[in-house]
Amino acid sequence: MDVLTFGESMVVFSPNNNGPIRHVHTFTKSLGGAESNVATAIAKLNHSVGWFSKVSDDEFGRFVINAIKAEGVDTSRVVVDKNRNTGILFKERYQRSNPNVYYYRKDSAASSLSPEDLDEGYIKQTKILHLTGITPALSESCRKTVYRAIEIAKENNILVSFDPNIRLKLWPVEEAKKVLVDIACRADIVMPGLDEAEILLGLTDKDEVADYFLSKEAKIVAIKLGAEGCYIKDRKEGVKVHGYNVSDLIQDTAGAGDGFAAGFLAGYLEKLPLNEIGQYANGVGAMATLVQGDMEGYPYFDQLMEFIGKKQGIER
Amino acid sequence: MDVLTFGESMVVFSPNNNGPIRHVHTFTKSLGGAESNVATAIAKLNHSVGWFSKVSDDEFGRFVINAIKAEGVDTSRVVVDKNRNTGILFKERYQRSNPNVYYYRKDSAASSLSPEDLDEGYIKQTKILHLTGITPALSESCRKTVYRAIEIAKENNILVSFDPNIRLKLWPVEEAKKVLVDIACRADIVMPGLDEAEILLGLTDKDEVADYFLSKEAKIVAIKLGAEGCYIKDRKEGVKVHGYNVSDLIQDTAGAGDGFAAGFLAGYLEKLPLNEIGQYANGVGAMATLVQGDMEGYPYFDQLMEFIGKKQGIER
Amino acid sequence: MDVLTFGESMVVFSPNNNGPIRHVHTFTKSLGGAESNVATAIAKLNHSVGWFSKVSDDEFGRFVINAIKAEGVDTSRVVVDKNRNTGILFKERYQRSNPNVYYYRKDSAASSLSPEDLDEGYIKQTKILHLTGITPALSESCRKTVYRAIEIAKENNILVSFDPNIRLKLWPVEEAKKVLVDIACRADIVMPGLDEAEILLGLTDKDEVADYFLSKEAKIVAIKLGAEGCYIKDRKEGVKVHGYNVSDLIQDTAGAGDGFAAGFLAGYLEKLPLNEIGQYANGVGAMATLVQGDMEGYPYFDQLMEFIGKKQGIER
Amino acid sequence: MDVLTFGESMVVFSPNNNGPIRHVHTFTKSLGGAESNVATAIAKLNHSVGWFSKVSDDEFGRFVINAIKAEGVDTSRVVVDKNRNTGILFKERYQRSNPNVYYYRKDSAASSLSPEDLDEGYIKQTKILHLTGITPALSESCRKTVYRAIEIAKENNILVSFDPNIRLKLWPVEEAKKVLVDIACRADIVMPGLDEAEILLGLTDKDEVADYFLSKEAKIVAIKLGAEGCYIKDRKEGVKVHGYNVSDLIQDTAGAGDGFAAGFLAGYLEKLPLNEIGQYANGVGAMATLVQGDMEGYPYFDQLMEFIGKKQGIER
Amino acid sequence: MDVLTFGESMVVFSPNNNGPIRHVHTFTKSLGGAESNVATAIAKLNHSVGWFSKVSDDEFGRFVINAIKAEGVDTSRVVVDKNRNTGILFKERYQRSNPNVYYYRKDSAASSLSPEDLDEGYIKQTKILHLTGITPALSESCRKTVYRAIEIAKENNILVSFDPNIRLKLWPVEEAKKVLVDIACRADIVMPGLDEAEILLGLTDKDEVADYFLSKEAKIVAIKLGAEGCYIKDRKEGVKVHGYNVSDLIQDTAGAGDGFAAGFLAGYLEKLPLNEIGQYANGVGAMATLVQGDMEGYPYFDQLMEFIGKKQGIER
Amino acid sequence: MDVLTFGESMVVFSPNNNGPIRHVHTFTKSLGGAESNVATAIAKLNHSVGWFSKVSDDEFGRFVINAIKAEGVDTSRVVVDKNRNTGILFKERYQRSNPNVYYYRKDSAASSLSPEDLDEGYIKQTKILHLTGITPALSESCRKTVYRAIEIAKENNILVSFDPNIRLKLWPVEEAKKVLVDIACRADIVMPGLDEAEILLGLTDKDEVADYFLSKEAKIVAIKLGAEGCYIKDRKEGVKVHGYNVSDLIQDTAGAGDGFAAGFLAGYLEKLPLNEIGQYANGVGAMATLVQGDMEGYPYFDQLMEFIGKKQGIER
């Protein structure tokens, strides 16, 4: 397996109309979750990928598993919890701005993930273990699970990839900073946004951010710069890769960061030069925004190539 | 005010198609809650009525308040909780059977209701305080709130009305029995189903059930007999009132018991003879089943009169 | 009560697709009406407000009452007419332009409002009586009702607020001019658009317009300047208040003028300085346009403060 | 042309859910109107047919014309009224019962039809002029139009067909009786329901009813007996024709009577024996009830033959 | 792998309203296909199962693969055809009767399946190869593929299961008879309906039908008797297994026969006694009819056990 | 008849959401087809027009006929094919770009049109015969039908109008070029896009393109220049006519070219000066883009006049 990831996926209910959801009558069901977003995007790029979590023993749990399995992700290690709900969320949309979100995820099945739910033999088979900063924010046992998974990876020479995904709704900033910096410093691949880096490290210069993590365990750091693209630095070089200009076409920015991570990992697994890795990452991230829904917009490999081919823009 | 009631109301999401909800794409929002059902049904029958609860400080909380206020219920005492969600539920429908229900109500705003949320001056203004057995099942503080409300009512010569509404999903049967029998024995008006009476008291004879409560504090007992109607007994007489035969037309039985309670209280407030009170109760209960949705089918006074007039059936 | 208003509200049917409605298959029901728009917007800003009208004795009449009551407006004085329909309208939408409207309001219940429908005791309890120029255009009896209401207000030292709301579909321009100027000259608060002022008075200079009404009975005049904001003048000073730039985000301009009036009256009741009154008015008006629907976009007080806080712009 | 008919057609809005329409959010547009129902059903049975009315000069008017033209009916004589609306109606559905109807047709374009709108040359080209008792109930000018049309038909040896279609919502029973009996007595073909005949003539025996009209100008009388079928009598014989038993399959009885008339006229034009005419009439009427909507269920000729062939039942 | 099957799956478009689809405005997408129905139903009963076919290189092809994969079926051998469409079908529904079907499958990707598309190594891994009589009707190359697959199975001691699934729309009855009898005579497990057996063999006695196939290569024969259940016979005994009475609850009979086959194969794999195999088969078949859609109603193992437990009925 | 045209019309299924249609659940039915687009647009401009094709003997065939007939086009010569399907297509929409299209039209009824389907007497009655380059691409028999129709036109002094409508999905470019240039050289009216002219003739100068066809049989040539408008040249003069700037309002460009052709032919039939013909053509083309759907946006004559009047722009 090329990539393994785990974390909470939820059933998403999107309003069929804009405006305050008190006035919205019907909602459409879909799937959301940072790690499963990454997993499905990687699967579409033809890399083998597994995802697991804990879900309820009901139709919502089955919906989550099946929707992810449908995209070609291995879900064989998902744990079913007979006593807890699958988390859900409602979106409330206004024109062009980010949607409000109503979470019903407290004490969800996924937030009870614990180190015992980890299948060490399964983890050993992967090349990269991808983690996000959402999981450690969900519960104490989730945090321990993340740390235990890193431990297993380290013991088995598996690369750890980390996207901080700071969610200040889920925990206080001080606690988030402490934990996320600690995890990021153990990761081989770190992918913060520049704004996230500032929160975590107090640094605003992209080279300083990259160098900070490279001085720890990171082999490579990718800093997301929004519409401007990204800055990728390893121990040999730093490359700024221009983003694709889709500002007029954006439908929904949800899932863009996860698409970036997926594109990055796909390119990294293919041992591409940094600028091409950045194109993959920027491309998947940009394409994610063109379709409403968290994961519906991720491209197949051919679609990514066509998109990238049309709209190049690289500079060192 | 004629009637005051309180308890959890939730946002209901009904599937736009039958079958397992994994395969359902869209859901329609409506309102549910035993006590608010009773309140809106009473308001339509032209009695003044108040309802309160605790709701979230967001669109779901506002939806609950406004949907109940829209029907003419006083909602001025609803408490807004800035830290908790409003409970929600999803229905899963199969042909003609009762729907499955997926609850997201654990630790909801309403389940944090506590005696401090009671406005004693407000309670004093009502003639009847209506309670259900759902509220004491939600949490320890909810249970205390119910007991404190009964205390206030008793101190002020306000009648206490009680519908056991046994929900074994919410608490173990032994605990439910103990609490619900205890509350029922303090109530002036008791309205169990015959099946509920059997669970609570181990009695299957309707006169024995009625006499049990009449030997406590009850002034009147109404035993629901499903499609057969009801049996009403006070300290003077017992009357069996035939139900209305709507079996071919039933869309959704949700809300029928609450409609029964509303019809009963309306008739009782109007000091009607027992058989007419029973007709009101049976009529509102039957009409509730003719429309999909928990509270959409309750009749206005004229509609109830027309329905009852057409389809009489009383026997002592 | 802070504000009382009356006038026709209608059931609105909006097409679920753009284009000629011959080709539209489904329509969604909502609520419309200038005065009830103002009332619901004021209620959300935490001022007590009443609205009344005449509606049909059927589900459309009940929908109108309940939808307005739901928002916290007192509807206790609405008159039910057993012989007339509630007015309805259909919208036909093209991209970004104002929708076409198909009215079915001729001889509606509301157009039969007459001075006898006025509850003098009820009117006496309000601080401000808000009127629009739509009501006198509906029928002779409606016009008389407006004049009689002004009379009652004047006799009781209640402020009269007036928004001309010129609707040339409803009456000939000459008749409209005569009546509307006459009413405006009796009002304490006058809120015309600059384009309306030109039709009514032939004046295009905002100071001349304001001075005209201030020389009559007006204590304060607010002239709406569209995207540019507004000009407010009382007998001490004149203030130009910049509008909020939302042009890229506009979904539906319907209800913007009514939101302006609501924001103005809320600010006026709070005795704010003119520039802050203007911010309230501009803010509610701008926010109304961000959501499709006539009244769905009006903000709660906190939402208005957040919107205004972000996007200030005042100049004298 | 085989048949010509005229009368009001309306835009129908059907609720997408059952129950009180206050709680219904979306409505679907379709077409209704007794005479256009007859016309489209006849066209599907391969007879040439024309229909006219007066409609608004807007999308609703165009929808009415085009939906009827689509089915192959000649609409070249429809008059467009620049000053009036096309009538509309809303349905409110409960399980299995007839829907409630909310009309917005007062002072509609069609109700202003007048003798001047009749094209005498056009009427002369038809074999049968089909009229219903709805048109004379709409307005004085509509009534005059019906009488003038009969006059033209009589002068030109065109058969007059008449379906009483009593609508007591539209006029008082005494007035209806007087006008409808008068018209029926001038018609060559009379098609009352047995219940209608009782209202009109006070007769309950089908032979007495038929003989009454046959003693006037009628050449043939068809009495609708609901699920039991019909009784057809001309000056030579009387035939009872059994209905088709579709009671378990009924979706919507609207349009059944109009389908009966269409089937009857088609069979009559084909000079079939009475029992076969009755099968056509009963068949189209029964098939109309199998599909929701007023005119969507009418069969094509082959479909009618298949339906009739399967389920015969004739007796003299 | 327990079961392997192959054959055409299509995208199904179901009308959102009953009646002639000319008058239907919207359609909902789902999945159909006899063999994939069997496969998904088996997967839900916790047996490993694979399905393959040929699909288009577009979203419809991906939809088919992913929807089947989602249910836990191995789809790794599906072939993608860059030059052909995935077959689709539209349903047209009338009340309670079987829907009309409009096929667009001529020259579809699946109908170009050929022996070269068979992966012999993959087939060798299964215990049972399940085939239906639809595939040989699609094209000459499909027929050859079926025969080649049987050959491979026979060479490797894999059981061949066969459901005739006669579709006289796809080929002439004489040709169908010849081919299907020939295939059935090679199968180890034969599952015809009694009506199909009559077409194929001219036999109407269930024992004669079973004995015919048992005298060929069949080890076991299951004859479907509709609502009456089934008759199962192997070389030792014959058992009639009563069906479950769901006639009042039926939503859609599509997929019932495929559910029967799935239940049968699951029970057979678990080496249950014949009457229990029959209960599985009857149970899955009955449950399929309770939900609209071809495969949405198949039960999970626990759901099947609950359904069977409630409603037993076995007799020898 | 002013214009006669023929060619394939299809049932169009448009996704109710943007994005990959694997994730789209519901689709809405409408009508598409270049020649019927032209026909309905001409009918709305008050010119008599006929269209014919071959359709299936089912509801899809009837939908196509009736939808076109509804708009006032003569469809009396449409041929019904009992053995073939009506072509259909699905759209897949992304933000603002042209939709992807999935065709199911291979071997459709229309593609079997042959010279025998032509009614010579019918063709003789028209002034203009309008053809597109799609029909000859559908099949050999369609190509022969086009050539035979031209022959009949030429023999009867009927003008031949031709819009190349190059569809490289339907045939190879070399074959397309050969046939389309050949047809264009026989036409009296030629309406290529400038990009099409380059493919066909290798010419990029509008005068050279026009002169090429004018040197053959063309009396007038209209070259479409997209948003810039068009260039029209006859043997006397050449006129550039500015387009209407609707770029911000475009919903769907499908049908714009057909609208151009319709506007052109209407203006030409009215013998307007070239610049006014160009305004008609540009106007109808621009208005088509303002509404989603192929033919829903075409204007009625008054609407076109209003649109043109507002936004003039002509230059020689």
Side-chain angles (χ1 to χ4, degrees), chain C residues 13 20-22 24-29 58-60 66 85-86 88 90 92 102-104 106-107, chain D residues 13 20-22 24-29 58-60 66 85-86 88 90 92 102-104 106-107:
Chain C
F13 293 89
I21 58 176
R22 176 166 100 256
V24 171
H25 305 307
T26 54
F27 294 80
T28 298
K29 182 172 115 284
D58 60 14
E59 283 289 300
F60 281 157
N66 290 14
N85 282 335
T86 295
I88 65 174
F90 291 84
E92 182 176 52
Y102 292 65
Y103 283 120
Y104 285 81
K106 218 202 269 187
D107 199 31
Chain D
F13 292 89
I21 57 175
R22 176 167 99 257
V24 171
H25 305 307
T26 53
F27 294 80
T28 298
K29 181 172 115 286
D58 60 14
E59 282 289 300
F60 281 157
N66 290 13
N85 282 335
T86 295
I88 64 175
F90 291 84
E92 183 176 51
Y102 293 65
Y103 283 120
Y104 285 82
K106 219 202 271 188
D107 199 31

Side-chain angles (χ1 to χ4, degrees), chain E residues 46-66:
Chain E
N46 302 327
H47 287 279
S48 60
V49 54
W51 165 90
F52 64 90
S53 181
K54 223 165 174 173
V55 302
S56 56
D57 186 24
D58 61 14
E59 282 289 299
F60 281 158
R62 292 192 280 266
F63 172 70
V64 165
I65 297 175
N66 290 13

Side-chain angles (χ1 to χ4, degrees), chain B residues 178-244:
Chain B
K178 209 182 115 206
V179 173
L180 297 180
V181 171
D182 186 57
I183 296 174
C185 290
R186 295 165 195 240
D188 302 276
I189 301 166
V190 188
M191 296 184 277
L194 191 55
D195 51 344
E196 290 182 316
E198 190 177 354
I199 293 173
L200 295 179
L201 305 178
L203 300 174
T204 58
D205 179 87
K206 55 193 196 307
D207 272 301
E208 289 183 38
V209 172
D211 293 345
Y212 181 89
F213 292 118
L214 290 168
S215 77
K216 308 292 176 181
E217 309 223 354
K219 293 182 173 58
I220 190 163
V221 177
I223 301 170
K224 286 170 275 187
L225 307 171
E228 291 205 17
C230 65
Y231 181 70
I232 302 179
K233 194 169 192 181
D234 62 13
R235 290 172 182 175
K236 281 186 272 171
E237 56 173 344
V239 177
K240 168 99 188 301
V241 189
H242 276 217
Y244 301 97

Side-chain angles (χ1 to χ4, degrees), chain B residues 14-32:
Chain B
S14 300
N16 288 4
N17 293 91
N18 280 6
I21 57 175
R22 177 167 98 256
H23 292 296
V24 171
H25 305 306
T26 54
F27 294 79
T28 299
K29 182 171 115 285
S30 66
L31 178 80

